[in-house]
Each structure stands twice: as structure tokens, then as C-alpha cells.
Amino acid sequence: MIHTSALAHVRDRRLLQARSTGKDIFYMAGGKIDPGETPVQALHREVREELGVDVVTHRELGVFHCEAVGQPPGTRLHMTCFTADLTGDPRPTSEVAELRYFTVSEYAAMDHVAPGSMLVFRRLHELDLIDW
């Protein structure tokens, strides 16, 4: 089981996704929770590292479980996802090649999608926070 913390950042009814350098798939901004770290601490660290901004306030959106991408078959993902207010506009750092905002259908139409991201897309759409 891989435990991660992720940011669901919505702008103009679209969800932010990040593509790491050397990868072809867009993921939620965030990452693995380090030993001794809480999901909230990991959120703050990962947002700073990947998006170059800080978290001001956060709210837990939910915990999502699915198959982990890029791991051996059967490896499960336990992702604690948050919405948050940030100190500025996210921008790609050296870890991130590209940031892009998607509707559900735009993301689903990609050649490769992250199952965890799809779960969050669906949840945000159920809450009427993003467009289909």
C-alpha cells in the first residue's frame, strides 16, 4: 500500500493536474507521505515542492483507494485528497514539466490517466465543483 497526499485545486470549474518530467501521464499534485509525516504535512511539503506555492488553509475532500500507477500489479494506493487555498498561482517547479487544468471529459480522453485522479474528478463533479 502506498500512502499519498494530494491537492485538488480547482480553477474555472477545471481540476489541476501535473505531469512530472520524463512522464506522459498527468497526476494530482502531491506525493508519498514520508515516515513520521501526517497527510497534512505531506500536502504542505508536496505543494511547495511541485507547485512553488504554500497552502494557506486546507479541507479534506476524502480518502481514495485504487490501483497504483507505475507500481507492480496489485499495489494499492491510499490517497488523502485536500482542497486548499494557496498563496499564489501554481507554477511548475523543477520536478514538474507541465501543469494543466482539465474537465472530467478532457482528462478521461487522455491516452493515459491515473485511476486516483479519475476518482477525484468524479467526486468533484458529484459535488458540482467541476464540469463534465
Side-chain angles (χ1 to χ4, degrees), residues 11 16-17 22 27 34 49 55 75 91-92 112-113:
R11 177 182 293 157
L16 178 69
Q17 297 285 284
Y27 294 91
D34 289 339
E49 289 174 1
V55 171
T75 303
R91 62 186 187 284
H112 304 287
V113 297

Side-chain angles (χ1 to χ4, degrees), residues 1 4-5 9 15 21 25 30 32 40 44-45 51 60 64 72 81 83 93 97 100 102 110-111 113-114 123 128 131:
M1 176 85 60
T4 65
S5 185
H9 183 67
L15 178 60
T21 303
I25 190 168
K32 291 180 183 172
V40 170
H44 283 259
R45 178 180 52 77
L51 305 179
E60 186 174 312
F64 300 85
C81 190
T83 59
T93 63
R100 193 186 303 176
F102 293 91
M110 300 288 290
D111 289 338
V113 297
R123 179 71 180 128
D128 196 31
D131 290 332

Side-chain angles (χ1 to χ4, degrees), residues 97-117:
E98 181 180 4
L99 296 176
R100 193 186 303 176
Y101 290 86
F102 293 91
T103 63
V104 179
S105 59
E106 289 167 344
Y107 187 73
M110 300 288 290
D111 289 338
H112 304 287
V113 297
S117 287

Side-chain angles (χ1 to χ4, degrees), residues 5-131:
S5 185
L7 172 68
H9 183 67
V10 176
R11 177 182 293 157
D12 299 326
R13 298 185 57 81
R14 288 171 147 59
L15 178 60
L16 178 69
Q17 297 285 284
R19 184 177 61 78
S20 297
T21 303
K23 307 267 176 134
D24 64 349
I25 190 168
F26 283 85
Y27 294 91
M28 305 289 302
K32 291 180 183 172
I33 299 171
D34 289 339
E37 194 175 45
T38 68
V40 170
Q41 290 169 327
L43 173 73
H44 283 259
R45 178 180 52 77
E46 290 286 351
V47 166
R48 191 175 315 106
E49 289 174 1
E50 294 184 3
L51 305 179
V53 294
D54 288 311
V55 171
V56 178
T57 60
H58 66 276
R59 293 156 303 284
E60 186 174 312
L61 178 65
V63 176
F64 300 85
H65 298 94
C66 62
E67 187 85 8
V69 174
Q71 300 296 320
T75 303
R76 301 292 295 166
L77 175 70
H78 176 279
M79 179 175 66
T80 305
C81 190
F82 299 89
T83 59
D85 296 314
L86 307 174
T87 57
D89 291 329
R91 62 186 187 284
T93 63
S94 60
E95 293 184 15
V96 176
E98 181 180 4
L99 296 176
R100 193 186 303 176
Y101 290 86
F102 293 91
T103 63
V104 179
S105 59
E106 289 167 344
Y107 187 73
M110 300 288 290
D111 289 338
H112 304 287
V113 297
S117 287
M118 282 306 307
L119 292 173
V120 174
F121 269 99
R122 289 186 183 113
R123 179 71 180 128
L124 290 169
H125 184 260
E126 288 170 2
L127 295 171
D128 196 31
L129 297 174
I130 63 172
D131 290 332

